[in-house]
Structure formats: structure tokens, C-alpha cells
Amino acid sequence: MRVSIILPAKNEADGLRQTLPGLKATMPDAEVIVVDDGSTDATAAVAAEFGARVLSSPYAMGNGAAIKRGARAASGDILVFMDADGQHDAADIPKLLERLEAGYDMAVGARSSGGQASVGRGLANGLYNRLASWMTGHRVADLTSGFRAARAERFREFLHLLPNGFSYPTTSTMAFFRSAYPVAYVPINVARRIGRSHIRPLRDGARFLIIIFRIATLYSPLKLFAPASLGFGVLGVAYYAWSFATYGRFTNMSALLISAAVIVFLIGLVSEQITALTYKQDRY
């Protein structure tokens, strides 16, 4: 089966000088696509120098947008996604491909705790992993890893769901679980990235918070809305019991809380139906 390796890159000339030779040595027959996301350095020239196919954007569209462009253009039956900053080792690609040969539809490189960029990022990723594991009922070892291999026909089914920003790993993983496509995790070691990260904690903090809600609403909205509805309902009944015992009447606050419980539950129910329709796509 033909393999296409896709590297989203924004100002990663130095990282590509280290990454591309390793790819050539490990996967000499693979199609290598570098998606230049509006770089202002020599990213495109370096990629072409090492024989990669270059897709250039006139301006930065985002990591997820680069992934989508690369996935559409790739000719391989298997798509491998990895960072262009030198963190990922090309020697780990065969390990991912072995899991696909074993029957999985996606294999993800799972970083150890020491492979996280910072303590804060490690704690945040740990929270995402636990939330995703609870939502899916499967152990999710690394929800945000950008190093993964997937069957092309399966991955392209969900291109319309992928955001243009940094959360494509989260969305694609949850989409595979939702559609009952088996996902495997392969332990990997990562090196320190070359150059500066494009993620800014203050700027992207709110975006990562939204990822948490995306995880819940993307997979099973009722698992998010039902507990909230139950909380409002319990508060409403408790407040009603207290106000009736104290004042002998049913208060407006009790009515508001109970009404909120019903409304939140109905919103969750409608969201669940919308989610089911979202995944009802024509297969490639």
C-alpha cells in the first residue's frame, strides 16, 4: 500500500533540514508532502531541495487547514501526519504502520510525560486524555498528538469536521471513535522542537478550553448536558423543599431552576440527534 507523509510547516526551514533526510532514509518510497502554511522563511525551498512535494499557501491558514490540504492532495492509501519541527522520529513510522496492518484504522504516537513541551501543557493534555477516555469508554493515551497514521479513505470522511486551527488531532480521534473505527496508541519518544513553538499559552488558552467542550459535544453531547441538567434539577427541588418548609410556598427561583433543568436536557437531546446526523456521511 502506498504511503503519503504529510508535514504541515510554518517557518520550519531548520526543522525540515533535520526531518526530511530521516524520512528519505526510513521511507524511501513514500510520497512526502510539505504544506507550507504562509511561511516567511525558506521552508518551501528547503522542502523542494530534499525532493518533497510542496503545497504553498499565500498566507497562514492554520495547522488544521494545512492538514486538510495535504490529505486532499495525497495519493497514498495510508496517510502519515507528523510535525516538521524535528520532534518526531521517522524511525517510529513503521511502528504506526504495523498497527494498521494489524487491523486498526488509525495509529497514534503517544508521548510519555517527559515528552510534553512544558508542565502546563502536560497537565492540560492529561485532562484532555481523561475526559476523552470517559466520553469514549476507551483509554485515550494521547489525544493531542500530531504524529499519527490513518487509512486515507477513513480520514477523508471527516475532513469537513476538522477545524483550521490546532485541534485537528482531537477532532479526528473523536471522529474515529464515534464511527467505530479502531484506534491504536504506540508509545514514542519526542525530541525538543527546533525553533519556537507557534502555540502561545495566553492567546491559545481559551482555544484549548473550547477543545474540552468540542470533545464532549463532538462525541456524545448528552454526556455533557445530562449532568448539567441533573444539577439544575437537584438544586431546583432542594430549593423548593427549603422554601416550602420555610415560607410555605413555591418560589420563582425553584421554578427557574427546574425549568433550566428541562431546557438543558432538551438541548442535549437535540444536540445528540444533530451529532448522529453529522456522522451520517456518504462513504468514500
Side-chain angles (χ1 to χ4, degrees):
M1 299 181 73
R2 182 166 170 78
V3 176
S4 294
I5 303 173
I6 300 166
L7 300 92
K10 180 181 179 183
N11 296 330
E12 300 289 2
D14 293 336
L16 288 172
R17 290 189 179 97
Q18 175 176 308
T19 302
L20 292 178
L23 281 176
K24 274 293 184 183
T26 305
M27 304 289 295
D29 298 325
E31 176 186 40
V32 178
I33 300 175
V34 173
V35 185
D36 174 19
D37 188 32
S39 298
T40 56
D41 66 355
T43 290
V46 170
E49 176 187 342
F50 285 98
R53 179 183 174 188
V54 182
L55 304 177
S56 294
S57 299
Y59 56 88
M61 298 182 183
N63 180 264
I67 289 294
K68 288 188 280 190
R69 290 195 68 197
R72 292 190 187 105
S75 61
D77 305 295
I78 302 296
L79 305 181
V80 176
F81 303 97
M82 61 187 298
D83 292 344
D85 55 17
Q87 288 190 86
H88 300 147
D89 187 352
D92 288 326
I93 294 178
K95 300 177 185 177
L96 301 181
L97 299 182
E98 285 177 4
R99 304 312 295 156
L100 298 188
E101 291 175 1
Y104 290 90
D105 287 318
M106 177 184 284
V108 181
R111 299 161 292 183
S112 63
S113 57
Q116 302 294 337
S118 65
V119 174
R121 289 268 295 278
L123 292 174
N125 287 337
L127 174 61
Y128 302 152
N129 295 341
R130 286 191 292 274
L131 177 61
S133 298
W134 171 65
M135 294 296 299
T136 63
H138 300 277
R139 180 177 178 270
V140 176
D142 194 341
L143 185 65
T144 60
S145 172
F147 188 29
R148 55 189 59 212
R151 301 186 191 279
E153 62 177 346
R154 298 286 190 253
F155 191 86
R156 291 193 182 108
E157 289 180 21
F158 308 114
L159 289 185
H160 65 287
L161 293 178
L162 302 185
N164 287 343
F166 280 102
S167 62
Y168 104 84
T170 299
T171 305
S172 60
T173 298
M174 300 304 288
F176 269 64
F177 277 121
R178 172 76 186 193
S179 298
Y181 292 151
V183 178
Y185 286 91
V186 178
I188 61 168
N189 294 315
V190 295
R192 182 178 294 276
R193 68 161 287 132
I194 298 173
R196 297 178 59 186
S197 172
H198 301 298
I199 297 178
R200 299 290 178 266
L202 292 179
R203 183 193 67 188
D204 295 314
R207 296 181 187 177
F208 286 130
L209 182 62
I210 292 175
I211 289 175
I212 294 178
F213 294 102
R214 282 183 60 88
I215 294 170
T217 55
L218 184 66
Y219 193 82
S220 181
L222 268 180
K223 284 194 174 182
L224 176 68
F225 286 98
S229 173
L230 180 62
F232 280 118
V234 169
L235 284 175
V237 172
Y239 191 81
Y240 168 63
W242 176 81
S243 61
F244 185 81
T246 305
Y247 306 109
R249 61 187 177 88
F250 182 71
T251 64
N252 291 338
M253 181 58 70
S254 299
L256 179 62
L257 290 170
I258 293 174
S259 297
V262 174
I263 292 171
V264 169
F265 177 77
L266 292 177
I267 291 174
L269 195 61
V270 172
S271 299
E272 190 78 22
Q273 300 303 314
I274 293 174
T275 300
L277 291 173
T278 298
Y279 285 95
K280 189 178 181 180
Q281 299 292 327
D282 291 333
R283 296 297 184 246
Y284 282 79

